[in-house]
């Protein structure tokens, strides 16, 4: 019985599990007719994940949510999977970079990406903070990748799969060439990864975003600057009278 | 092939002689024994084992909940982990040696015989794996999947949102009202889901404590201790049951001590006023609460410095210096009251009253300007430094400039101290001092003298650049 993954195929969190499955020789079916925002609100889905988030993997022994946990589980389905390294310390390093990819890279790319693409409210202060934290993290990653082809050891591990999927959102959504040029080793790493056959099968051709999406338009409550003085005075009078 | 132990060389020899075959057999057996011995001590072996008798060193401050995760895991697993001695948050983790271990300079970091590991969850996992077949990792593949699921949930859904609510209120991050609202809403959604799961499950996975429970509990600990009132958590009764059971398990208690639920929510920090360090304990002052608690949460996100209460000293050696013609308060009054013709009145007045035998002038230069990538964070850093200098108010005057029109911003300062050296008690009590390069100004050099004047009057452009901010300590 194949495993069923509930998510859209293009969801980068689903892609983590799909790429891991390619490397591990595990068959995963993406749920047919999955509709984001609809399928994950049904009572059956909520039973599987009370939080109602995706992706979610249905296994023989029960459902698993949280994209990194799903990817780990899939990886462990294959005994002695090289994706998990070949020693205890490699395991430690792989987990270290998985967590770094999540807390330091994904968190900040998301803070930057979602408001610019209209999924969350935009705040300049929050974006400034996010971009700064992201640069700090990419700087550290760049330092590591200057002397290391892969994150751990000498071949692709689960850390590379998760890191690449997290970077992918950045590269296609908010990180232009002029931004990433500051981190050349990260660039080398990313383009090498997405062109590996098992990645390419799932991701297809990856194109870096040309320019930062424009700021979303301001909400209607703040047109004060555009109004003429008289209208402003009239407004104040009306407010006082209310 | 060579065995490192005995320096013996083993060679496969061709032989038709029976005696030689026996010798070859001997060689093979010897080789296998040596190799087997090496394999045993090969630290890269897949065999999980309890760590050596030497304790592993964990770099973190006291009271860091991310360090607790590993310490509790170690208790359950029979692994020896000790906190690094003399670790100073914000100082030790900025040293070059530390950055070699973790290029992003965050804590905790575990030193192992095979190299350093960062990221608190990864460290906890590694420590758990040091014990073969550790029950903390469950008994089956699906258990493992579920443990990882709850570990990630504990980080992304619980910890992240608690952090966004608590840390701005505790002064570690800028406070944004809508940000807090969104965090609380996400947190409630997550706690709701968790409560449903714990309604019919004593533990997160299986029927005993696993690594997921350790990490979840440590993350909830920040919430319960600092910001969750009973009125808030009573909406999630199963989470309450779970949390109090966990923190009272012996291995948790050993590390956490007694846990008390917060009785008040820290107030929104006021933007302008510095902390009143010498005020008696008020229940409302959030910063005072931070100072009195022995266990403090550490932030691995935006700002890593913490406030410390300066201790008032009984007798100050600077009071014992021979009297000087310069009276610091007179200068401060002149500085503050001069509104126009600053250069002709205040600066001239400064040099007229300056006594190079009773006082000294110092330039300081922040050592880590490449970190100053966000304007308000940089200004907060300087603000924090000036707050900590409060204990020197009677003996010092300073100007701190944040320079540049775009990041990274440079932080430079000019300080006037009583005495001809930087006061020792300042170096001892104010840890920010180590973060700057200090050079005594030589006022016989016209250029240096002019630089002093320029810094006192906030000259712009300063050394060719715009000033983002200028703060005065007086």
């Amino acid at each position: 019985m194949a495993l069923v993954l509930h998510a859209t195929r293009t969801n980068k969190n689903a892609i983590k599990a799909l790429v891991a499955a390619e490397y591990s020789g595990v068959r995963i079916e993406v749920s047919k007719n999955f509709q984001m925002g609809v399928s994950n609100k049904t009572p059956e889905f909520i039973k599987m994940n009370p939080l109602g988030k995706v992706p979610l993997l249905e296994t023989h022994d029960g459902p698993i949510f949280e994209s990194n946990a799903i990817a780990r589980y899939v990886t462990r389905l294959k005994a002695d999977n090289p994706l998990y390294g070949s020693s205890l310390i490699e395991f430690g390093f792989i987990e270290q970079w998985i967590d770094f990819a999540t807390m330091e890279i994904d968190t900040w790319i998301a803070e930057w990406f979602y408001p610019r693409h209209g999924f969350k409210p935009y705040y300049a202060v929050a974006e400034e903070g996010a971009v700064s934290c992201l640069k700090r993290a990419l700087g550290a990653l760049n330092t590591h990748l200057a002397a290391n082809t892969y994150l751990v050891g000498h071949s692709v591990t689960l850390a590379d799969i998760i890191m690449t999927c997290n970077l992918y959102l950045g590269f296609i959504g908010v990180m232009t060439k002029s931004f990433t040029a500051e981190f050349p080793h990260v660039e080398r790493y990313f383009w090498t990864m997405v062109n590996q056959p098992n990645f390419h099968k799932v991701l297809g051709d990856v194109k870096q975003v040309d320019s930062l999406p424009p700021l979303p338009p301001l909400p209607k409550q703040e047109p004060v600057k555009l109004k003429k003085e008289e209208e402003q005075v009239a407004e104040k009078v009306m407010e006082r009278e209310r | 092939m060579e065995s490192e132990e005995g320096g013996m060389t083993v060679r496969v020899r061709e032989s038709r002689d029976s005696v030689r075959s026996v010798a070859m057999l001997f060689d093979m057996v010897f080789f296998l024994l040596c190799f087997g011995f090496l394999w045993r001590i090969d630290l890269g072996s897949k065999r999980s084992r309890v760590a050596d008798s030497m304790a592993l060193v964990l770099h973190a401050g006291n009271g860091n909940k991310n360090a607790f995760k590993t310490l509790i895991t170690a208790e359950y697993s029979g692994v020896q982990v000790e906190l690094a001695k003399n670790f100073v948050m914000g100082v030790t983790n900025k040293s070059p040696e530390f950055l070699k271990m973790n290029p992003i300079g965050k804590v905790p970091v575990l030193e192992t015989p095979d190299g350093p590991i960062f990221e608190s969850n990864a460290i906890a996992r590694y420590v758990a794996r040091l014990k073969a077949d550790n029950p903390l990792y469950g008994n089956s593949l699906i258990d493992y999947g579920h443990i990882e699921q709850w570990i990630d949930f504990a980080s992304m859904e619980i910890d992240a949102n608690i952090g966004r609510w608590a840390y701005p209120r505790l002064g570690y991050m800028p406070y944004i009202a809508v940000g807090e609202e969104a965090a609380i809403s996400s947190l409630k959604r997550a706690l709701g889901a968790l409560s449903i799961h714990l309604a019919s499950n004593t533990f997160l996975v299986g029927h005993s404590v696993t690594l997921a429970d350790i990490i979840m509990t440590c993350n909830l600990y920040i919430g319960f201790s600092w910001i969750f009132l009973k009125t808030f958590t009573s909406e999630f009764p199963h989470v309450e049951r779970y949390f109090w059971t966990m923190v009272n398990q012996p291995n948790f208690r050993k590390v956490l001590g007694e846990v008390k639920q917060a009785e008040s929510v820290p107030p929104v920090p006021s933007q302008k006023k510095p902390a009143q360090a010498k005020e008696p304990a008020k229940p409302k002052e959030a910063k005072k609460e931070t100072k009195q608690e022995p266990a403090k949460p550490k932030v691995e996100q935006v700002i890593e410095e913490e406030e410390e209460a300066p201790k008032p000293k009984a007798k100050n050696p600077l009071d014992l210096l021979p009297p000087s013609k310069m009276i610091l308060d007179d200068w401060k009054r002149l500085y503050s009251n001069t509104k126009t013709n600053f250069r002709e009145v205040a600066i001239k007045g400064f040099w007229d009253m300056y006594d190079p035998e009773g006082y000294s002038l110092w330039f300081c230069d922040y050592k880590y300007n490449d970190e100053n990538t966000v304007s308000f964070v940089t200004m907060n850093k300087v603000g924090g430094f000036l707050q900590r200098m409060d204990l020197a108010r009677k003996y010092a005057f300073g100007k701190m400039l944040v320079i540049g029109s775009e990041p990274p911003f440079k932080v430079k300062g000019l300080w006037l101290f009583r005495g001809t050296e930087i006061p020792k008690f300042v170096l001892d009590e104010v840890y920010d001092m180590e973060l700057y390069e200090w050079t005594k100004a030589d006022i016989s050099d016209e250029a240096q003298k002019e630089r002093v004047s320029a810094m006192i009057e906030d000259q712009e452009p300063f050394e060719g650049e715009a000033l983002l901010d200028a703060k005065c300590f007086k």
Side-chain angles (χ1 to χ4, degrees):
Chain A
M1 186 192 113
L3 304 165
V4 176
L5 186 66
H6 295 265
T8 356
R9 263 201 166 275
T10 49
N11 179 334
K12 66 108 168 128
N13 284 332
I15 291 173
K16 293 173 187 172
L18 295 174
V19 174
E22 290 290 333
Y23 273 96
S24 314
V26 171
R27 255 196 75 210
I28 296 187
E29 265 176 34
V30 176
S31 162
K32 299 185 192 9
N33 309 320
F34 179 84
Q35 267 185 289
M36 189 65 193
V38 178
S39 313
N40 54 310
K41 293 203 191 287
T42 63
E44 298 78 39
F45 192 94
I46 301 286
K47 264 212 203 82
M48 295 196 286
N49 179 1
L51 201 55
K53 288 195 175 179
V54 284
L56 185 140
L57 186 75
E58 276 193 77
T59 82
H60 255 303
D61 301 301
I64 304 179
F65 52 89
E66 288 297 336
S67 59
N68 289 348
I70 294 171
R72 288 182 178 102
Y73 173 85
V74 165
T75 303
R76 292 268 186 204
L77 281 171
K78 176 185 158 127
D80 297 323
N81 196 332
L83 285 187
Y84 245 129
S86 45
S87 67
L88 184 59
I89 192 65
E90 287 202 331
F91 165 75
F93 290 147
I94 289 167
E95 289 294 354
Q96 163 188 290
W97 287 110
I98 289 177
D99 280 351
F100 182 94
T102 306
M103 314 297 295
E104 301 291 345
I105 301 286
D106 190 43
T107 304
W108 304 120
I109 288 181
E111 275 285 312
W112 191 7
F113 179 99
Y114 291 122
R116 284 259 172 181
H117 286 261
F119 291 106
K120 281 169 73 165
Y122 173 86
Y123 297 104
V125 173
E127 183 178 89
E128 200 191 338
V131 173
S132 162
C133 289
L134 179 61
K135 282 183 161 180
R136 180 182 173 187
L138 287 173
L141 181 59
N142 197 55
T143 301
H144 180 77
L145 292 172
N148 291 281
T149 308
Y150 303 94
L151 286 174
V152 182
H154 298 289
S155 53
V156 172
T157 61
L158 187 56
D160 297 300
I161 295 176
I162 290 175
M163 178 72 82
T164 301
C165 289
N166 288 346
L167 285 170
Y168 168 76
L169 192 69
F171 271 82
I172 63 166
V174 275
M175 306 193 318
T176 58
K177 181 81 178 91
S178 55
F179 180 84
T180 57
E182 221 184 297
F183 314 103
H185 308 290
V186 177
E187 285 188 319
R188 167 198 66 69
Y189 170 80
F190 178 76
W191 294 115
T192 305
M193 286 296 128
V194 297
N195 282 297
Q196 297 305 296
N198 285 334
F199 280 81
H200 195 261
K201 237 190 224 176
V202 180
L203 288 170
D205 280 332
V206 178
K207 245 196 106 228
Q208 189 161 12
V209 69
D210 282 323
S211 57
L212 204 52
L215 290 181
L218 286 169
K220 290 216 173 115
Q221 282 85 16
E222 306 179 283
V224 179
K225 289 178 200 154
L226 306 172
K227 288 203 172 173
K228 291 187 196 154
E229 250 179 63
E230 302 140 15
E231 287 175 51
Q232 278 180 313
V233 169
E235 264 202 334
K236 285 201 177 126
V237 170
M238 273 168 29
E239 268 187 27
R240 240 181 284 133
E241 284 177 353
R242 246 178 250 150
Chain B
M1 280 187 273
E2 277 190 357
S3 126
E4 288 176 52
E5 271 303 303
M8 309 248 320
T9 315
V10 173
R11 270 173 264 124
V12 174
R13 283 174 249 164
E14 285 183 7
S15 167
R16 288 176 202 143
D17 207 86
S18 60
V19 173
R20 277 182 155 219
S21 322
V22 172
M24 192 169 94
L25 192 62
F26 248 110
D27 272 325
M28 292 294 249
V29 170
F30 188 78
F31 164 71
L32 284 169
L33 282 174
C34 286
F35 187 73
F37 180 59
L38 283 175
W39 181 260
R40 234 193 102 88
I41 66 170
D42 177 0
L43 299 162
S45 166
K46 253 194 234 178
R47 274 178 34 210
S48 314
R49 49 158 178 64
V50 180
D52 302 308
S53 54
M54 212 181 84
L56 300 172
V57 174
L58 185 66
H59 295 268
N62 273 323
N64 181 334
K65 65 104 172 141
N66 285 332
F68 290 159
K69 293 173 186 172
T70 292
L71 296 173
I72 296 172
T73 303
E75 290 290 334
Y76 273 96
S77 314
V79 172
Q80 287 240 61
V81 174
E82 337 178 303
L83 283 177
K85 302 191 196 346
N86 306 322
F87 179 87
V88 180
M89 188 66 193
V91 178
T92 311
N93 53 310
K94 291 193 193 292
S95 66
E97 301 78 38
F98 192 93
L99 291 172
K100 270 208 200 83
M101 294 198 288
N102 181 0
I104 204 166
K106 291 195 176 183
V107 288
V109 172
L110 184 76
E111 281 193 71
T112 82
D114 300 302
I117 303 179
F118 52 91
E119 288 297 338
S120 58
N121 291 349
I123 295 170
R125 289 183 178 98
Y126 173 86
V127 166
R129 291 265 185 212
L130 282 171
K131 176 182 160 128
D133 299 320
N134 197 332
L136 288 185
Y137 248 127
N139 302 315
S140 63
L141 187 57
I142 191 66
D143 270 359
Y144 166 75
H146 288 149
I147 289 168
E148 290 293 354
Q149 162 190 289
W150 289 112
I151 289 177
D152 282 350
F153 181 96
S155 298
M156 311 298 294
E157 300 292 345
I158 302 287
D159 190 42
N161 290 313
I162 291 179
R164 283 188 202 118
W165 183 11
Y167 296 140
R169 286 203 175 232
L170 294 169
Y172 292 112
M173 281 165 71
Y175 174 83
I176 303 173
V178 274
E180 180 180 275
E181 215 184 304
I184 295 177
S185 159
S186 298
L187 180 61
K188 283 182 157 180
R189 179 181 170 190
L191 288 172
L194 183 58
S195 203
I196 290 173
H197 179 76
L198 293 172
S200 47
N201 292 279
T202 308
F203 302 94
L204 285 172
V205 182
H207 297 290
S208 53
V209 171
T210 61
L211 189 57
D213 298 301
I214 295 175
I215 289 174
M216 179 71 82
T217 302
C218 288
N219 288 346
L220 286 170
Y221 167 80
I222 290 291
F224 273 82
S225 306
W226 292 100
I227 203 151
F228 292 172
L229 303 181
K230 183 80 177 80
T231 45
F232 178 80
T233 55
S234 58
E235 220 182 297
F236 315 104
H238 309 290
V239 177
E240 284 187 319
R241 168 198 66 69
Y242 170 79
F243 179 76
W244 294 115
T245 304
M246 287 296 125
V247 297
N248 281 295
Q249 297 305 299
N251 285 335
F252 281 78
R253 257 196 101 99
K254 240 190 217 177
V255 176
L256 296 173
E258 208 191 323
V259 180
K260 282 220 166 89
Q261 187 155 9
E263 284 175 359
S264 60
V265 177
V268 174
S270 74
Q271 306 297 334
K272 312 267 175 170
K273 280 188 277 180
Q276 301 297 317
K278 298 209 174 128
E279 297 262 12
K282 283 187 204 162
K284 290 186 203 159
E285 274 269 329
K287 292 194 174 147
K288 207 63 183 127
E289 275 180 54
T290 316
K291 285 169 206 152
Q292 285 170 348
E293 281 286 335
K296 297 179 197 183
K298 300 294 201 281
V299 183
E300 284 179 28
Q301 293 176 25
V302 181
I303 300 175
E304 283 140 36
E305 274 115 289
E306 6 155 44
E307 303 277 352
E308 278 185 26
K311 291 170 219 142
K313 292 259 174 181
K315 217 183 213 164
N316 196 307
L318 295 181
D319 290 331
L320 305 172
L321 287 175
S324 161
K325 69 165 173 102
M326 181 174 195
I327 310 283
L328 189 60
D329 280 348
D330 287 347
W331 158 241
K332 290 182 178 179
R333 224 170 287 122
L334 178 64
Y335 174 87
S336 305
N337 295 339
T338 310
K339 302 293 179 199
T340 54
N341 300 327
F342 193 84
R343 180 56 80 134
E344 295 81 0
V345 179
I347 300 288
K348 180 174 181 308
F350 176 77
W351 291 116
D352 285 343
M353 65 169 76
Y354 179 64
D355 167 22
E357 266 141 63
Y359 286 81
S360 51
L361 284 162
W362 296 82
F363 294 121
C364 68
D365 210 327
Y366 189 63
K367 290 180 191 170
Y368 309 104
N369 282 323
D370 48 292
E371 281 181 359
N372 299 334
T373 50
V374 182
S375 52
F376 61 82
V377 174
T378 307
M379 297 197 290
N380 280 355
K381 225 187 269 199
V382 175
F385 174 32
L386 295 190
Q387 285 175 25
R388 286 183 277 281
M389 283 298 272
D390 190 55
L391 45 62
R393 209 168 287 279
K394 269 177 60 182
Y395 310 100
F397 167 86
K399 291 301 295 279
M400 295 294 291
L401 307 182
V402 182
I403 298 155
S405 44
E406 46 169 32
F409 302 103
K410 298 175 256 305
V411 174
K412 297 187 203 260
L414 178 268
W415 286 86
L416 171 73
F417 287 119
R418 183 75 169 95
T420 53
E421 297 300 321
I422 299 179
K424 184 173 183 302
F425 76 91
V426 171
L427 289 171
D428 288 343
E429 304 277 343
V430 183
Y431 70 72
D432 308 69
M433 300 294 284
E434 277 188 51
L435 305 175
Y436 294 83
E437 291 286 356
W438 292 89
T439 16
K440 196 169 184 181
D442 173 8
I443 54 166
S444 61
D445 174 3
E446 272 307 314
Q448 291 194 39
K449 190 173 178 191
E450 173 50 35
R451 190 166 192 262
V452 171
S453 304
M455 292 182 94
I456 295 177
E457 74 176 353
D458 299 343
Q459 192 180 79
E460 204 176 349
F462 180 77
E463 296 182 340
E465 293 189 87
L467 283 186
L468 180 67
D469 192 23
K471 290 195 198 287
C472 181
F473 177 86
K474 59 180 160 76

